[in-house]
Amino acid sequence: MDFKEIQELIKLFGKSEISEISIKKEDFKIRLTKPDAFQNNQTVAYQPQQQIQAPAPVNKENPVSQESNENTTAAQEEKKAAEAAENNYITIKSPMIGTFYRASSPDKDPFVKVGDSISKGSVLCIIEAMKLFNEIESEFEGKIVKILIDDASPVEYEQPLFLIEPLKK
């Protein structure tokens, strides 16, 4: 399987009611489980040679910051996303699980800052997944209102990343 196929499998699996799936092809093996299946432990395994343990999802009833108090918890992000809907902002969400980066390298300027105007196709950030760096581009025109996640933080699939004020026509 190539990376795009794995991404699509994860998206479909996340939307389905299936709690676990395992696929084997020659020397490739992937196993996906949902938190309910193993008491809030989520495992993603790639096994030609090694296993990768994904971080356990944050308990939404009792959110705990894993890195520091400055990191945004899942409950706060959902609250911000709800506020954004009320304010007619567009929420840009992560299309994959990985690590969020605001710039192409630590010594470079961020792709976007709060207040920046963006157009369709503007690079907003990079998400690193399985040692691949994926540029996340805007599908909207508007202005960056808020950046909802810290640089170099882990992100989940469909986790809110940015709030965009759409361009008024």
Side-chain angles (χ1 to χ4, degrees):
M1 293 182 92
D2 68 13
F3 185 70
K4 292 282 185 193
E5 290 174 322
I6 293 170
Q7 281 182 306
E8 188 62 31
L9 175 65
I10 291 170
K11 284 181 189 176
L12 292 172
F13 178 72
K15 293 177 183 177
S16 75
E17 293 182 21
I18 300 171
S19 62
E20 183 176 349
I21 188 170
S22 182
I23 298 173
K24 294 180 186 179
K25 286 186 176 181
E26 297 172 14
D27 66 340
F28 177 83
K29 178 181 176 183
I30 187 167
R31 181 172 161 242
L32 303 172
T33 59
K34 289 188 180 171
D36 298 337
F38 290 104
Q39 302 170 7
N40 285 339
N41 287 331
Q42 183 178 16
T43 304
V44 176
Y46 168 74
Q47 270 190 331
Q49 307 245 338
Q50 64 184 9
Q51 279 200 348
I52 301 168
Q53 181 73 28
V58 176
N59 182 347
K60 293 180 182 174
E61 294 160 4
N62 184 18
V64 177
S65 178
Q66 294 176 0
E67 301 268 315
S68 71
N69 291 337
E70 294 177 6
N71 284 349
T72 308
T73 63
Q76 290 170 332
E77 291 165 10
E78 288 179 8
K79 183 179 176 184
K80 288 177 186 175
E83 290 172 4
E86 292 172 13
N87 294 328
N88 294 324
Y89 293 147
I90 297 169
T91 302
I92 306 285
K93 297 180 180 181
S94 176
M96 65 189 72
I97 296 171
T99 304
F100 172 87
Y101 294 104
R102 293 188 58 204
S104 58
S105 69
D107 59 334
K108 302 280 185 182
D109 290 334
F111 292 110
V112 293
K113 297 180 282 257
V114 174
D116 284 358
S117 292
I118 58 168
S119 58
K120 289 182 182 179
S122 297
V123 176
L124 301 173
C125 64
I126 291 177
I127 296 183
E128 176 190 5
M130 296 173 50
K131 302 290 182 192
L132 293 175
F133 293 86
N134 303 282
E135 289 185 345
I136 307 304
E137 297 178 350
S138 175
E139 296 177 10
F140 309 97
E141 292 183 357
K143 183 172 85 172
I144 301 287
V145 174
K146 190 155 195 165
I147 300 171
L148 301 172
I149 187 150
D150 294 328
D151 193 35
S153 296
V155 293
E156 295 290 327
Y157 173 67
E158 291 201 353
Q159 179 176 348
L161 303 175
F162 299 93
L163 292 182
I164 308 287
E165 181 179 347
L167 184 66
K168 295 178 182 171
K169 294 182 180 181

